[in-house]
């Protein structure tokens, strides 16, 4: 089936540093999402992105967070500066259209020390 | 307050048994619903979508939607050990395409 690739699979950084999580979505998909999951529990919606713009963001999407997809390359989530509570697994997802199934990557495990 | 609540939190069924999972939304903006399954160390994978009232069957899986009560259920017939996973209900808002996941049900199928 369609594959979403997330790079890196693990990232360890010191609190206060910047981190960029990369997502290579399914090639013809137009809608992109980031989710946060702590300790294998609930998938928390962070943000979705379409046509170069953020469509909707949750309260978890703090001012320190930003997303972009320059010129159809990776869809990225940047956190600057990071905080201890940002430690989690971050999942990227994409879909071909609205009201279509999301395809997820395997996640990036972020550890903030 | 969670907008998409699932019950039970965890469930154990014997191999070959029936597993029943429930999901209720508190937001009438949600129009479209999915069931996703997540195995340990992986991202969620969609099992099925359901957009209309009534039942939808795909193999061993049957979903039921009641839009009036904002209730969605998933029934897994002839459960297999490989069905052991974390199951999520997901709901979508048509205006923003925001997809919200439920609180999750952890299913264990005992051999």
């Amino acid at each position: 089936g369609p594959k979403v690739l997330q790079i890196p699979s693990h990232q360890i950084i010191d609190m206060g540093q910047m981190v960029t999580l990369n997502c290579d979505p399914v090639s013809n998909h137009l809608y992109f999402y980031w989710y946060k999951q702590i300790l294998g529990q609930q998938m928390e919606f962070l943000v979705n992105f379409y046509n170069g713009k953020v469509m909707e963001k949750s309260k978890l999407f703090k001012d320190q967070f930003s997303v972009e997809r320059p010129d159809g390359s990776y869809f990225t989530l940047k956190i600057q500066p990071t905080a201890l509570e940002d430690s989690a697994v971050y999942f990227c997802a994409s879909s071909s259209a609205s009201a279509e199934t999301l395809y997820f990557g395997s996640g990036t495990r972020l550890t903030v020390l | 307050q969670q907008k998409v609540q699932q019950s039970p939190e965890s469930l154990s069924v014997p191999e070959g048994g029936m597993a029943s999972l429930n999901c209720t939304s508190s937001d009438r903006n949600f129009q479209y619903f999915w069931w996703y399954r997540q195995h340990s160390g992986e991202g969620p994978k969609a099992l099925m979508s359901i957009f209309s009232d009534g039942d939808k069957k795909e193999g061993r899986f049957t979903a039921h939607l009641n839009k009036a009560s904002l209730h969605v259920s998933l029934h897994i017939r002839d459960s297999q050990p490989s069905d052991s996973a974390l199951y999520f209900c997901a709901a979508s808002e048509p205006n923003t395409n925001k997809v919200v996941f439920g609180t999750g049900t952890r299913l264990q199928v005992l051999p």
Side-chain angles (χ1 to χ4, degrees):
Chain A
K3 296 286 187 186
V4 174
L5 182 64
Q6 288 190 243
I7 302 166
S9 57
H10 292 83
Q11 181 96 45
I12 300 174
I13 60 170
D14 291 324
M15 182 178 62
Q17 284 190 315
M18 181 194 76
V19 68
T20 300
L21 308 183
N22 297 295
C23 172
D24 188 10
V26 179
S27 61
N28 61 341
H29 282 189
L30 301 173
Y31 293 80
F32 312 109
Y33 299 75
W34 282 104
Y35 288 84
K36 177 181 181 181
Q37 188 177 43
I38 296 177
L39 297 176
Q41 301 299 318
Q42 187 169 356
M43 294 287 289
E44 303 270 14
F45 171 83
L46 288 176
V47 66
N48 62 343
F49 189 87
Y50 169 73
N51 198 25
K53 298 174 187 174
V54 170
M55 296 184 70
E56 182 81 5
K57 54 186 180 180
S58 72
K59 293 178 183 177
L60 294 177
F61 195 80
K62 303 178 294 183
D63 291 343
Q64 300 90 323
F65 287 44
S66 64
V67 291
E68 64 176 355
R69 191 183 187 216
D71 298 326
S73 60
Y74 286 155
F75 177 50
T76 62
L77 173 65
K78 183 185 293 185
I79 309 174
Q80 181 180 25
T82 51
L84 295 176
E85 60 265 27
D86 296 331
S87 293
V89 180
Y90 290 84
F91 288 96
C92 170
S94 68
S95 68
S96 58
S98 62
E100 286 292 338
T101 296
L102 299 187
Y103 289 87
F104 283 83
S106 297
T108 293
R109 181 175 298 278
L110 176 65
T111 301
V112 181
L113 302 176
Chain B
Q1 181 187 3
Q2 297 297 335
K3 288 191 173 183
V4 183
Q5 288 279 353
Q6 290 183 238
S7 64
E9 285 187 17
S10 63
L11 177 64
S12 291
V13 300
E15 183 175 356
M18 171 78 83
S20 294
L21 289 67
N22 297 290
C23 171
T24 302
S25 168
S26 60
D27 190 338
R28 290 203 172 272
N29 288 320
F30 292 142
Q31 295 290 314
Y32 310 117
F33 297 87
W34 288 262
W35 283 99
Y36 285 81
R37 178 166 76 179
Q38 184 182 28
H39 285 107
S40 182
E42 300 177 3
K45 288 186 175 67
L47 287 172
M48 59 195 304
S49 61
I50 184 164
F51 298 167
S52 303
D53 279 333
D55 291 338
K56 183 178 182 181
K57 184 178 178 182
E58 291 188 4
R60 296 185 293 111
F61 300 89
T62 300
H64 177 82
L65 172 60
N66 182 326
K67 282 195 173 183
S69 62
L70 295 178
H71 182 258
V72 190
S73 60
L74 178 70
H75 304 278
I76 306 173
R77 174 179 56 83
D78 188 23
S79 297
Q80 301 298 308
S82 57
D83 294 328
S84 297
L86 183 57
Y87 287 76
F88 290 107
C89 167
S92 172
E93 294 179 4
N95 292 334
T96 64
N97 295 300
K98 176 180 178 180
V99 180
V100 175
F101 278 65
T103 48
T105 293
R106 193 166 296 278
L107 172 65
Q108 185 176 21
V109 180
L110 304 171

